[in-house]
Amino acid sequence: MLKPVVRYGYVPFMLLGVNGAAIALVASGASKLWLVGLLLTAIGCSFAAERALPYEAAWNSPDGDGGRDIAHAGVNELLLLISVGVIPVLAATVTVADLWPHSWPFVPQVLTAVLVADLGITLVHYASHKIGPLWRFHAVHHSVKRFYGFNGLMKHPLHQTLEMAAGVAPLILVGLPVDVASALALAVAVQLLLQHSNADYRVGAAKYVLALNEGHRFHHLKWAGVGDVNFGLFTLVWDHLLGTFSHDPARRFTSEHLGMAAKPDYPTAYLAQLAEPFRASGACPAEPPDTRSPSGSGQ
C-alpha cells in the first residue's frame, strides 16, 4: 500500500502540500522560521520516499559522500535564506520601477515569480555547459555518482549564487515583495529535492513539462554533449524552445552512467570541491573526441 502512495502521491504532496503550506504561512504573516521547519519536513519526506520506493537501491547508501553532501546543503540553504533577507535592501536601492502586481492574489504572484526565476536560472545553467569559466564551478554538481535528493543542493556556492541572482534579479528590478521571495526560496529547495530524487515516482504526461527526476537523470549522463539536455529547474518549457529536451522511457540509469567521463577523478571532499574551480586542474574538455554514450542512450 505504501509504494503506490509514494509513486503517485509524493510529487503532489511536495509541490502542492509543502509549497502550499509555505504560501499559506507567508500570506498569513507567520514567522519565516516556519519555512525552515517546512524545509526540514521536505528533506525528511525526501529520504523516506527514497527508502520506501527507490529507483536504484544502491543510491540510498552513502559512498563516502554523506558528510560532504550535508555540508553543501547546509551552506547553500543558508545562502538562500540570506538572499531572502537582503531583498528588502536591494529592492530599496535597485528597483527600477515598482511594476510588481501587488493587487493579484498571493498564489498567482508566487507562480509568476517561479516562472520568471525558472527562465533566468535555466539560461545560466545552459551557459554553464557552454562557457569554460562557468563550467569550472558547475562541474562540482556534475561530479555526483549517485542520484538522490540531496544532490540538488550540492553546488559550488558561487555557482549557486550566480544562478539565484539570474533568477531573482529581474524580479527585484520590478519590486519583488519579500513574502513572495520567501515562498520562492522554499519552492526552489523543494524542486531541487524532487528533481534529483531517488524515489521511483510517476507523474504521467507531466514529465514532458515539469523538470522532475525522470527527465533530469538524462542531464547527469557523464558524456559531454550527451548530458547537455533538460536544463530547466521548474519546467522543461525552455528546453523545448532551446531544442535541448531529451527523454527515452526505455533508458535505465546506474552509477556507471553518472559523473564526468572527461574527469572521473574529480575531488570528492567538500573543501577540495570548493577549491577545485580555482586550480589548473579544475577544467575538463568541453567536448571529448567521442561525445556519444554507449548504445541505448536515447539521444
Side-chain angles (χ1 to χ4, degrees):
M1 181 62 185
L2 180 59
K3 289 185 177 181
V5 170
V6 173
R7 190 181 303 278
Y8 300 106
Y10 174 54
V11 172
F13 170 76
M14 294 284 272
L15 287 182
L16 302 178
V18 176
N19 285 328
I23 289 171
L25 286 168
V26 172
S28 70
S31 169
K32 301 298 190 296
L33 290 177
W34 281 106
L35 297 182
V36 177
L38 281 175
L39 173 60
L40 294 176
T41 298
I43 292 172
C45 290
S46 174
F47 277 100
E50 290 172 337
R51 277 146 185 78
L53 187 68
Y55 173 84
E56 180 68 43
W59 290 347
N60 282 339
S61 300
D63 188 19
D65 53 8
R68 177 204 69 192
D69 291 355
I70 291 173
H72 274 293
V75 169
N76 290 329
E77 282 308 308
L78 180 60
L79 286 175
L80 274 177
L81 293 174
I82 291 173
S83 68
V84 171
V86 301
I87 280 178
V89 178
L90 292 175
T93 57
V94 303
T95 297
V96 174
D98 191 359
L99 302 176
W100 188 260
H102 298 278
S103 61
W104 290 6
F106 194 65
V107 171
Q109 289 188 52
V110 174
L111 290 176
T112 299
V114 164
L115 292 175
V116 173
D118 188 43
L119 174 58
I121 292 170
T122 298
L123 291 177
V124 169
H125 192 179
Y126 178 82
S128 297
H129 282 246
K130 307 297 181 182
I131 301 172
L134 293 180
W135 170 252
R136 281 177 166 267
F137 292 93
H138 186 50
V140 171
H141 181 65
H142 278 272
S143 67
V144 299
K145 295 295 181 65
R146 64 187 183 108
F147 196 88
Y148 76 118
F150 253 21
N151 286 163
L153 304 172
M154 185 193 143
K155 299 183 179 185
H156 196 286
L158 291 180
H159 195 269
Q160 158 103 350
T161 300
L162 179 62
E163 281 191 334
M164 287 306 298
V168 176
L171 296 167
I172 293 176
L173 291 175
V174 296
L176 175 69
V178 69
D179 284 349
V180 177
S182 299
L184 173 62
L186 183 74
V188 168
V190 168
Q191 186 66 20
L192 289 170
L193 288 170
L194 283 173
Q195 192 176 61
H196 296 80
S197 177
N198 186 31
D200 193 19
Y201 59 68
R202 296 287 186 274
V203 295
K207 64 177 172 285
Y208 297 107
V209 180
L210 301 180
L212 296 170
N213 67 356
E214 193 171 350
H216 198 66
R217 293 188 190 109
F218 290 90
H219 181 74
H220 279 266
L221 286 167
K222 67 183 181 180
W223 300 277
V226 174
D228 292 341
V229 297
N230 301 349
F231 292 97
L233 173 60
F234 287 102
T235 78
L236 295 169
V237 171
W238 311 116
D239 286 287
H240 286 290
L241 294 175
L242 290 168
T244 56
F245 173 77
S246 179
H247 182 70
D248 174 10
R251 181 70 191 245
R252 180 74 191 180
F253 298 83
T254 68
S255 291
E256 292 299 314
H257 303 118
L258 307 182
M260 292 181 287
K263 198 170 180 62
D265 57 345
Y266 198 88
T268 57
Y270 178 69
L271 293 179
Q273 289 191 338
L274 294 190
E276 185 64 13
F278 300 98
R279 301 182 188 277
S281 59
C284 56
E287 293 287 342
D290 184 359
T291 61
R292 297 170 296 171
S293 69
S295 60
S297 69
Q299 302 301 312

